[in-house]
Amino acid sequence: MESNEKDKRIPCKYGSKCYQKNELHHKKYNHPPKRELELLDDVKKPVKKHKLVAKVSVKKNTKMKCKNECSTSSENNTEAPPNKIKTPPKLNKTFTDEPVKQTIAQETCTLGNEGPSEGPVTSKEEGDKSSEDGEDNIPSSPEDVRESIKQKFLLEMPEDFYSFWSFCENISKDKPSEAFKDVGLYLVGPFDVLSGDLKKVKNRRLSSYLRHWRYYYDPPEFQTIVRGDDKQLFHMGYYRDDPQSPPCFVASNCAAVSCIIVPVAENLFGAINSYLESKKKTCGPFILMKVSRLQNALQSWAKRNNFTLDVSTSQMKARERKVVAKTFHKAGIVVPVDKKSDLGYREMLEDDASLKRLLKRVADSTSDAERTSCLGKLQPVLTAVSIATDECDFGTGLELGIDLFSYGGDVFHNTIVQYLNTAYTLLQRQEFSKIIQVLHAISHLDLCLPQAHLKLRKKGCHLSMLEEDSR
C-alpha cells in the first residue's frame, strides 16, 4: 500500500473517525494508515444486524445482513458522512416543571446531527420584514392558490379539497367555511387560505402557519382541515405517509379524549358523508331536516365529480397491508422495506402495552431519584432503536418517535424530536422534519433548537394563528 503522503486518492475528510467499510469508498478516498488497515480488515467480516431479544415479541426476520450499500452515498461512490447515531439520546431527568423548561432551552439536538442544530427553513427575500421576536416572515404569497397553500403548510392539497370548497361556496356563498355550521363543522387550516382569512395576519411566520389548527395529538402526517365540537375537540384532516404523496385517507381524532387517529374515508366528501350519516342517528327532527338536505346535496356533487363516498376503498386496504407498525395512534406507519435484505423496519424490544407502562412510570415519577430509576429501565429500548436506525431500519426510529409524541409529556420532548427528526431525514421526508422542528414554539428566538416546538403543544381549541396574531 502506498504511504499516506504519496497516495493519490482524495483524503477522506473524516480521517480516523470514518466508519465506512465499503470497498468502493476506500478505493476512492485516502485514510490514515492505521485506520485504513483496521477498516479494510473489517471489510472481510460480514456485518450483521444486532439481534433484538424482545421481552414480549421479536420480529423473526431480523438476522439478515445490514449492507453498507444501503447508504445512498455508498451506492453513488461518494464520500459518506460519519456515523450519525452512535449513542441513544439521554432523557431529561429533571423533576420539577421549571427546571425542565430551562434544561430544554439549553440543550441541542445531537442525534443524527453532529454539527450545529438546523433551525426551521424559512425564505428571506429583499424587502421581507422580520417579526418582532426574530423569526423571518415568509415571502409574499404566490398568486397561484395551490402554491400559496404549499408555501405555508409545506404540503399539497388533493383535488377533493378544492372541489369541496367549490361545493361549500355553492351552499353558502358569503361564508363557505361555515357551510356546515348547522351540523357543528367548520372548515379550517389550509381552507383559511381559500377564504382569505389568513391575509389578515401581520406576522407571517412559517412556524405560525404550521401550528395553525394543529391539535395536541396531530403528528406531522396529519393536517387538520375540519374542526368540530370544542368539548371533545373533534376534528378531521388528511393523513399521509409521505409529504410528497397524496393523502392516504381523511381521518378523525378527538384530542380531548385520546391520541387515536381513525381513518374515515378516502376523500373529504366520503368523510363528511360518513359524519352526516352518524349525525342523523342522534339529532332531533329539526336538525335532521338540515342534515338530510346537506347530505343529499353533497352526494349529488360527489357523484357528478366522480368522488367515491366509500369509507373503505381498495386504496385504503392496499395501504393497510403496507403498515409495519400500528403505533399508539393506531393509524400506523408505512416505510420502505427491502424484502430480500429485510432492511427498513424491525420490531422494538417492547410491545405497545409494555412501552406505555414504562413511559407512565417515567411521567408519574414523584422524585428525581424515582425518575432516574425509571429512565434507566427505558434506556435499553432507546439503545436498541438507535442500533436499528444505524443498521438501516429507519422505521423503528419513526415508530418510537411517533409513540412518544402520541403519549406526550414534557420529559420526552428532546427524545421525540431527536428520533423523529432523524427518521424523517433518513426517509427523505424533509417536510415532516421541518414541521416537527417548528411546531408549537414557545419563543421564536428558540427555533434554532429542534426540540423547541414541543414546549407549546396546545391542549385546547384556541389553535388559530389569527388569535395568536391579535395578542
Side-chain angles (χ1 to χ4, degrees), residues 342-470:
D342 197 33
L343 295 177
Y345 173 78
R346 73 180 72 170
E347 290 184 358
M348 291 195 293
L349 284 179
E350 305 285 351
D351 63 7
D352 285 356
S354 299
L355 181 57
K356 285 180 180 178
R357 284 195 292 269
L358 287 174
L359 299 180
K360 188 176 190 304
R361 289 170 187 163
V362 174
D364 293 348
S365 298
T366 57
S367 68
D368 287 336
E370 182 184 357
R371 176 163 292 182
T372 300
S373 174
C374 294
L375 290 175
K377 295 177 182 178
L378 180 61
Q379 200 64 43
V381 177
L382 305 184
T383 302
V385 172
S386 293
I387 292 172
T389 304
D390 200 23
E391 295 180 349
C392 302
D393 287 334
F394 307 143
T396 309
L398 177 60
E399 179 186 11
L400 177 61
I402 290 296
D403 282 348
L404 291 172
F405 182 92
S406 298
Y407 190 85
D410 291 351
V411 69
F412 304 120
H413 286 179
N414 190 47
T415 309
I416 292 169
V417 179
Q418 290 187 31
Y419 276 108
L420 286 183
N421 188 47
T422 299
Y424 288 141
T425 300
L426 294 173
L427 290 167
Q428 298 182 19
R429 299 174 181 178
Q430 284 81 1
E431 289 83 358
F432 289 164
S433 180
K434 292 176 185 176
I435 292 173
I436 204 67
Q437 288 185 55
V438 302
L439 284 172
H440 310 313
I442 189 169
S443 169
H444 299 294
L445 293 175
D446 289 339
L447 281 173
C448 58
L449 302 180
Q451 69 269 29
H453 82 288
L454 292 167
K455 294 183 189 177
L456 261 185
R457 284 181 67 184
K458 296 181 181 178
K459 288 186 176 180
C461 58
H462 300 290
L463 305 170
S464 172
M465 68 180 294
L466 295 171
E467 294 185 35
E468 174 187 309
D469 194 68
S470 63

Side-chain angles (χ1 to χ4, degrees), residues 52 62 95 130 136 147 190 254 258 281-282 313 357 390 401 418:
L52 301 185
T62 56
F95 169 60
S130 297
D136 291 334
E147 290 299 319
C254 294
S258 73
K281 299 176 182 178
T282 58
T313 65
R357 284 195 292 269
D390 200 23
Q418 290 187 31

Side-chain angles (χ1 to χ4, degrees), residues 164 180 184-191 213 215 218 222-229 233-239 249-254 261-265 267-276:
F164 193 83
F180 285 81
L185 298 180
Y186 299 84
L187 306 186
V188 296
F191 277 120
W213 284 110
Y215 287 77
D218 292 356
F222 189 98
Q223 176 64 61
T224 297
I225 53 176
V226 177
R227 72 174 178 90
D229 71 274
L233 300 180
F234 173 83
H235 59 289
M236 291 190 282
Y238 289 118
Y239 187 96
F249 46 74
V250 174
S252 67
N253 168 254
C254 294
I261 296 174
V262 182
V264 181
N267 59 65
L268 187 51
F269 287 95
I272 299 298
N273 184 66
S274 176
Y275 175 87
L276 295 175

